Every structure is written in C-alpha cells, then in structure tokens.
Amino acid sequence: PTIVIATKNPGKAQEFHAMFEKEGIQIKTLLDYPELPEINETGQTFEENARLKADQIAAILQLPVLADDSGLMVDALDGRPGIYSARFAGDHNDAGNNAKLLYELTGVPAEKRTAHFHTTLVFAKPDRPNDDLVVEGSVNGRILGIPRGDNGFGYDPLFYVPELDKSMAELSMAEKNAISHRAKAIENLEPLWRDWLAK
Ligand code: ITT
Ligand code: NA
C-alpha cells in the first residue's frame, strides 16, 4: 500500500520512509503534491494541528493521510517551544530556533535542562472526519549547551539522550528511529492502522 504523509519537512519524511519501508509500505509526502494549498496550523494542541493537516489533505487528495505534529518541550521554559517549535525564532529555520533555545537557557545548569520531544500522529481517511486514528510518542532528554552531531534535523544537535550518551544528531538514522518520539508513535500506530484502514 501507499500512505501519504502530510509533511513538507524532509527530515521527518526520511524517517517515515525508513520506518515504513521495512514493512513494504511506500510513502508519499506533500513534496509529491506541490499544488496543494498551505494548511495553517491554527490549533492549540499537537492533536488539533495534526488533525487539521490530516483531515484537509485527505479530503483534497481522497487518499488516507497520516499527519505528524511534533515539538520540543523544555521544562525550564514551562514547556516551550511546544506546538510553536517550528517557528520558535520567527520563521521556520533550524539554526535560528537552536540559537534562540540556547539563548533562553543561558545560565541554566545541566540538571535543570530536562526536556522531551513529543509526536502526535493522526491518520485520516477521506470523508470520515470522525474516524481519525490518533497515537502519541515521546522521548526524554536534556538540552546541551553546545550543539553536537550532524545527523537528523531541527533540535537534534541540542537534544542529549542520557541512555546513549549521545545527542540525537550523533545517532545514525537507524539509531534515532529505534528510540525517537516519532518511532514510539509509529510503534503505537503499528498494531492499529491496518484494521482501521480496512474498516
Ligand atoms: P510539517 O508541518 O510540514 O510536517 P514542520 O517542520 O512544520 O513540518 P511541525 O509543525 O511538527 O513540523 O514542527 C515540528 C518542529 O519541531 C520541527 O520543525 C523541528 O524544529 C522540531 N522537531 C520535530 N521533530 C523533531 C525531531 O525528530 N528532531 C528534531 N527536531 C524535531
Ligand atoms: Na506544528
């Protein structure tokens, strides 16, 4: 089968590709449908924003669509940037976002720099807006004082995973896809989606 992932973020798209490929599932992303309108993420929660993306794109394409809304929650910042993670520094720019995060945590010691990444996935079928499948995943870590590693995307160079003694950006894609918030959400989706899609 083919699944449309409602993302334009190439980092996310690569991770979904790696995780679904081993199950024989092809994915398409919004990069394959350049004519689609921009979906405004006006919701107040990850789930609302993922639903906005999944429901609208499914209705337009008349295909099942899986949307990912994710973000970074930093305890010392009362959970920010949260749902605003993509645009923390104004526009969608990983370097600017990371610089702002480091700046806001200036002087905060390592043990108080706890954080987690969160993903909500919403799977939507065309014309069935009340039948969305919703799952979540998260991973705990700490915000580094200096970026480490070149892999991944977004806040990965600043997100330290204590169990592995590495930043997310120091993990290979396979390693990240074994422990990440997105991987856990997909794990939670795995036992559910085939029956849901068939019904
Ligand atoms: P789409 O809406 O097109 O999927 P986006 O990048 O705007 O792309 P989100 O609204 O979910 O996606 O914003 C998520 C932001 O959170 C993303 O831009 C990154 O800065 C950050 N983020 C999400 N997952 C991440 C990950 O696995 N590693 C590092 N940063 C991540
Ligand atoms: Na978002």
Side-chain angles (χ1 to χ4, degrees), residues 5-13 15-16 30 38-39 41 46 49 53 67-72 81-88 92-94 97-98 117-120 139 152-157 159 168 176-177 180-182:
I5 315 283
T7 187
K8 285 183 191 166
N9 180 321
K12 277 190 194 176
E15 291 179 12
F16 279 111
L30 302 190
E38 188 71 32
I39 308 294
E41 294 180 25
F46 291 110
N49 282 331
K53 292 189 268 192
D68 168 315
D69 204 54
S70 326
L72 176 68
I83 63 167
Y84 303 108
S85 291
R87 279 161 191 80
F88 191 36
H92 187 168
N93 174 315
D94 288 344
N97 287 339
N98 285 342
F117 272 127
H118 174 97
T119 292
T120 297
V139 59
F153 67 97
Y155 299 96
D156 282 341
F159 192 91
M168 280 282 207
K176 181 178 174 184
N177 286 347
S180 79
H181 47 311
R182 187 162 296 104

Side-chain angles (χ1 to χ4, degrees), residues 79-140:
R80 287 187 305 129
I83 63 167
Y84 303 108
S85 291
R87 279 161 191 80
F88 191 36
D91 57 353
H92 187 168
N93 174 315
D94 288 344
N97 287 339
N98 285 342
K100 182 173 167 71
L101 180 59
L102 282 179
Y103 177 77
E104 294 220 3
L105 289 174
T106 306
V108 179
E111 71 274 12
K112 294 199 171 143
R113 298 168 77 105
T114 51
H116 65 277
F117 272 127
H118 174 97
T119 292
T120 297
L121 297 178
V122 171
F123 211 164
K125 281 186 274 200
D127 308 322
R128 300 280 300 273
N130 297 317
D131 194 24
D132 288 353
L133 193 55
V134 182
V135 295
E136 302 183 321
S138 68
V139 59
N140 292 320

